[in-house]
Amino acid sequence: MKMMLQLVSPTAGKIMMFGKDHREQMKDTYQKIGSIIETPGFYTNLTGQENLEILARFRKNVSKASVKHALEVVGLDQEKKKPFSDYSLGMKQRLGIAAAIMHEPELLILDEPINGLDPIGISEIRQFLCELSRTKGTTIFISSHVLSEIEQIADMIGVINQGKLVEEVNMKELHKRKRKYVAFTVSDALSAAKILENQCNVRDYDIQDHMIKIFETEFNVGYFNQILVENQLVVTGINTCEDNLENYFSELIGGGGIA
Amino acid sequence: MLNLLYCELLKLRHSKMISISVLGAVAVPFMLLVEELQTHAEHPEEKILLDQVYANSVLYMLILANMMVSVAIASYLFSREYAENTWKTILPLPISRTKVLAGKFLTLFIWDLGLTLVSWFSILFFSGIFHAIFGMSEYSLFTAFRWIPKYFLLTIFMFATTTPFVYIAQKTKGFVAPMITSAVIVLGSAALCNQEWGALYPWTASVLLLQGRVEGTGYPVWLSITILIFVSGIGFMLTFLHFKKEDLK
């Protein structure tokens, strides 16, 4: 992302954006892009509005009304006198988002945009990004370690591990790939596993403390429960679940961290 | 470029650096007033000329006070983007790194020029106070205005000799290294300002050029000018090359 945004020079290769090398017609290309790289930086002696006005002047085609609208969208329009140095982390992040969207970009590049936001703020920004994509057709290129958030807004997901793109998949396909399972919470998960293996021919399962997860395409939850109870095991919970994104990608990269 | 200059000036709103730098620019005129008062107290018969006060100010401004202030401003202008983490907000905008730096250099020059004018006016003001109480020979606006072109040249020299400090500020991403380096340079200037070798040392060569004393050192004027241009050019070149290649992580 930093290479796309001219912060770091590529050591090799080309960066293509809008169908051409990003250094060709650089002005046109970057006029269409908005960005946040982690925690955004602004001039500490200035207010949010003053900061945005400077960026608007650099961009040349952004009106004062657009600056005000962007501040309204992120809920900072009332902070007229507060300098950036007095902003909370969440407010700084909101101002970063306002700076990224004030010129109505065609492409938004966001690196960890929900850093420091409270749960309500996260939900608001998520809704806003979805709406921006839906109503204005803005392409949003977002990176995050909070995969549950990504899961809620992305149409296409790519996983980079050790600097290499491991997988790129659209969400519909991903949902198909994520495995469904039934989780039984029982008094003795190890015994339960043996019983189900012997009596129901269950082979694909996983044990976690008092829980046994059964990954089978065809579930017969009632029958499994009956077998466990008949074998004197106490069943305290039965849930039908789906692998979350974290689990899916953790398995994809062999259990390591997701970069 | 005017738009860039305007943006740089907008960044300075509510900044304490402006008032601090103005105080720095008033320092030399105030010290000269103190000197005038002492001279008058010790030798009341001695005539104090406004022209002489302006002439004396050149040395102090170029090698001491205004020089240090100019280095501080340069360090602030160029290192604050690192300190406040703003490069990653500015550089993805549709503007080249060369233009961003050029805008900063232009701002530095305008700021230096503004401070030189503050010093010029302060000398006129303080000397006016002295003139009102004790009387000063040839105290007139005409005399003061005659110094405007020289002060403009002084600003150009000061700006030119500040560029190496800009590179240091850019390279070290902070205030400390350029300020320490400038203190060392000032010591060198103090040692060489009345020596022949002063014509070869860019920070004193500028004073000697303004005072028309280079020929007295035995070195040709063109050599002093060449050294000044060379040092300034190196400062510019290193700053631009470093910034163009720098990865901002």
Side-chain angles (χ1 to χ4, degrees), chain B residues 130-167:
Chain B
F130 185 88
H131 175 62
I133 301 169
F134 306 108
M136 180 183 271
S137 300
E138 296 173 15
Y139 180 85
S140 69
L141 273 179
F142 176 72
T143 308
F145 275 112
R146 263 202 342 225
W147 275 88
I148 292 273
K150 277 197 176 180
Y151 265 44
F152 185 70
L153 201 56
L154 179 150
T155 308
I156 292 173
F157 285 159
M158 193 156 60
F159 172 73
T161 50
T162 308
T163 60
F165 303 104
V166 171
Y167 170 66

Side-chain angles (χ1 to χ4, degrees), chain A residues 27 31 59 63 81 140 183 195 202 254:
Chain A
K27 266 192 179 178
Q31 199 66 263
R59 286 198 180 277
S63 65
K81 290 189 176 169
I140 301 173
I195 291 162
V202 170

Side-chain angles (χ1 to χ4, degrees), chain B residues 65-120:
Chain B
N66 287 40
M67 182 67 198
M68 295 286 276
V69 171
S70 180
V71 172
I73 294 166
S75 307
Y76 173 73
L77 275 178
F78 286 81
S79 69
R80 74 176 297 198
E81 309 283 357
Y82 296 97
E84 297 178 16
N85 219 359
T86 41
W87 278 136
K88 64 182 180 186
T89 309
I90 300 291
L91 293 182
L93 300 177
I95 184 162
S96 71
R97 289 190 181 200
T98 308
K99 279 190 177 172
V100 171
L101 271 197
K104 285 195 175 289
F105 272 116
L106 185 59
T107 309
L108 176 63
F109 180 73
I110 302 268
W111 199 337
D112 278 347
L113 187 61
L115 292 181
T116 306
L117 289 175
V118 168
S119 297
W120 173 85

Side-chain angles (χ1 to χ4, degrees), chain A residues 158-169 249 252-254:
Chain A
V159 178
I160 295 174
N161 185 38
Q162 309 279 340
K164 287 192 175 161
L165 187 66
V166 179
E167 173 133 302
E168 196 173 355
V169 61
F249 285 118
L252 189 72
I253 62 169

Side-chain angles (χ1 to χ4, degrees), chain A residues 2 5-9 26-28 30-31 33 35 37-47 50-51 53-55 57-60 84 99, chain B residues 3-4 6-8 10-15 76 80-81 84-97 99 244-249:
Chain A
K2 285 180 179 169
L5 294 170
Q6 313 185 91
L7 295 171
V8 172
S9 303
M26 174 265 218
K27 266 192 179 178
D28 282 351
Y30 286 93
Q31 199 66 263
I33 296 175
S35 64
I37 296 292
E38 296 152 358
T39 311
F42 289 99
Y43 301 101
T44 51
N45 53 311
L46 305 180
T47 64
E50 288 167 343
N51 267 296
E53 278 168 7
I54 288 175
L55 299 180
R57 277 205 155 259
F58 271 122
R59 286 198 180 277
K60 288 183 180 170
F84 183 73
Chain B
N3 192 45
L4 281 175
Y6 187 65
C7 286
E8 287 296 331
L10 285 179
K11 289 181 199 172
L12 298 172
R13 270 190 285 189
H14 323 299
S15 169
Y76 173 73
R80 74 176 297 198
E81 309 283 357
E84 297 178 16
N85 219 359
T86 41
W87 278 136
K88 64 182 180 186
T89 309
I90 300 291
L91 293 182
L93 300 177
I95 184 162
S96 71
R97 289 190 181 200
K99 279 190 177 172
K244 289 275 273 183
K245 287 184 179 172
E246 189 181 16
D247 284 344
L248 295 145
K249 291 177 180 171

Side-chain angles (χ1 to χ4, degrees), chain A residues 14-230:
Chain A
K14 267 186 178 180
I15 296 170
M16 303 293 287
M17 287 198 285
F18 302 106
K20 55 186 181 241
D21 190 300
H22 76 306
R23 290 188 193 279
E24 278 174 33
Q25 295 171 320
M26 174 265 218
K27 266 192 179 178
D28 282 351
T29 303
Y30 286 93
Q31 199 66 263
K32 296 185 227 170
I33 296 175
S35 64
I36 297 180
I37 296 292
E38 296 152 358
T39 311
F42 289 99
Y43 301 101
T44 51
N45 53 311
L46 305 180
T47 64
Q49 185 165 342
E50 288 167 343
N51 267 296
L52 292 198
E53 278 168 7
I54 288 175
L55 299 180
R57 277 205 155 259
F58 271 122
R59 286 198 180 277
K60 288 183 180 170
N61 62 346
V62 185
S63 65
K64 278 199 168 184
S66 302
V67 169
K68 279 191 179 170
H69 175 66
L71 286 169
E72 277 167 20
V73 166
V74 297
L76 287 176
D77 51 319
Q78 299 304 315
E79 302 293 346
K80 289 192 171 139
K81 290 189 176 169
K82 198 180 237 186
F84 183 73
S85 55
D86 290 347
Y87 274 27
S88 66
L89 191 58
M91 289 168 81
K92 287 176 181 174
Q93 209 66 18
R94 283 163 191 268
L95 187 63
I97 289 167
I101 59 162
M102 68 179 176
H103 56 296
E104 298 191 353
E106 287 178 33
L107 171 64
L108 255 184
I109 299 176
L110 308 173
D111 184 12
E112 305 282 1
I114 53 167
N115 265 359
L117 290 180
D118 55 69
I120 296 168
I122 290 173
S123 165
E124 281 173 5
I125 295 300
R126 187 198 310 134
Q127 279 171 24
F128 172 72
L129 292 178
C130 289
E131 196 183 311
L132 198 67
S133 166
R134 200 175 50 246
T135 58
K136 310 243 173 182
T138 309
T139 303
I140 301 173
F141 184 49
I142 185 168
S143 85
S144 178
H145 285 79
V146 188
L147 298 186
S148 54
E149 274 307 316
I150 295 292
E151 202 170 6
Q152 293 179 64
I153 51 175
D155 303 309
M156 179 80 90
I157 289 186
V159 178
I160 295 174
N161 185 38
Q162 309 279 340
K164 287 192 175 161
L165 187 66
V166 179
E167 173 133 302
E168 196 173 355
V169 61
N170 69 46
M171 282 307 287
K172 279 183 189 163
E173 174 64 25
L174 189 69
H175 280 300
K176 280 184 203 165
R177 287 192 207 171
K178 286 197 295 185
R179 295 197 297 172
K180 290 187 172 62
Y181 61 88
V182 178
F184 284 88
T185 309
V186 291
S187 51
D188 183 349
L190 211 59
S191 304
K194 280 180 187 164
I195 291 162
L196 291 175
E197 212 174 314
N198 295 334
Q199 298 186 22
C200 308
N201 203 26
V202 170
R203 293 279 177 268
D204 193 3
Y205 62 83
D206 189 17
I207 296 171
Q208 285 173 3
D209 299 326
H210 286 281
M211 186 185 286
I212 175 166
K213 291 179 180 177
I214 302 167
F215 301 96
E216 295 287 333
T217 45
E218 295 290 325
F219 296 118
N220 196 341
V221 180
Y223 177 60
F224 288 171
N225 184 37
Q226 189 185 341
I227 296 289
L228 293 173
V229 172
E230 281 172 3

